[in-house]
Amino acid sequence: DLDLGTLSAPDAGFIIFWVGVAMLGLALAIFTQTILSKVQTGERKRLWSGQGWRKVLFVLASLLVYAHFLVPIGFLPATFLLLLFLFKWIEPHKWVTAIGVSVVMVSVTYVVFAYWLGCQLPKGLFDFL
């Protein structure tokens, strides 16, 4: 039901459609690469081996916790804690790097979405902002 519109006057479905086309193209490229890759005779490739499922489960769990606490404690502390967890325990970095990058990312994201785009982010503990 969403019209595409034109490049100079896009409608609601324009970006959704073209992102879908790009994802389809990338999926086909990966599929083709997988089909054309050579495997030694007698060697079996395990499709999902070595993919780090434990990290995937921790990231999913952390996103669920983030979604649960986003409104009560607010965007700033919830996002900072999520990023700190990801930078320190999922892909370990030094504390200085993890804290610094988390602060910078939360600050930039807050400025872009709250001030430039005018989005209402959950205030939570920082109701005075």
Side-chain angles (χ1 to χ4, degrees), residues 62-75:
S62 67
L63 290 173
L64 288 172
V65 170
Y66 173 73
H68 179 73
F69 286 107
L70 182 62
V71 174
I73 68 171
F75 174 79

Side-chain angles (χ1 to χ4, degrees), residues 5-26:
T6 63
L7 187 60
S8 59
D11 279 336
F14 186 81
I15 290 179
I16 297 168
F17 175 78
W18 288 110
V19 166
V21 169
M23 288 175 62
L24 178 65
L26 291 171

Side-chain angles (χ1 to χ4, degrees), residues 52-66:
W53 286 106
R54 190 172 185 194
K55 286 184 179 182
V56 171
L57 294 176
F58 279 134
V59 169
L60 288 174
S62 67
L63 290 173
L64 288 172
V65 170
Y66 173 73

Side-chain angles (χ1 to χ4, degrees), residues 92-110:
H93 293 281
K94 294 179 181 176
W95 277 105
V96 173
T97 304
I99 292 172
V101 172
S102 297
V103 167
V104 169
M105 292 300 293
V106 167
S107 302
V108 168
T109 306
Y110 187 77

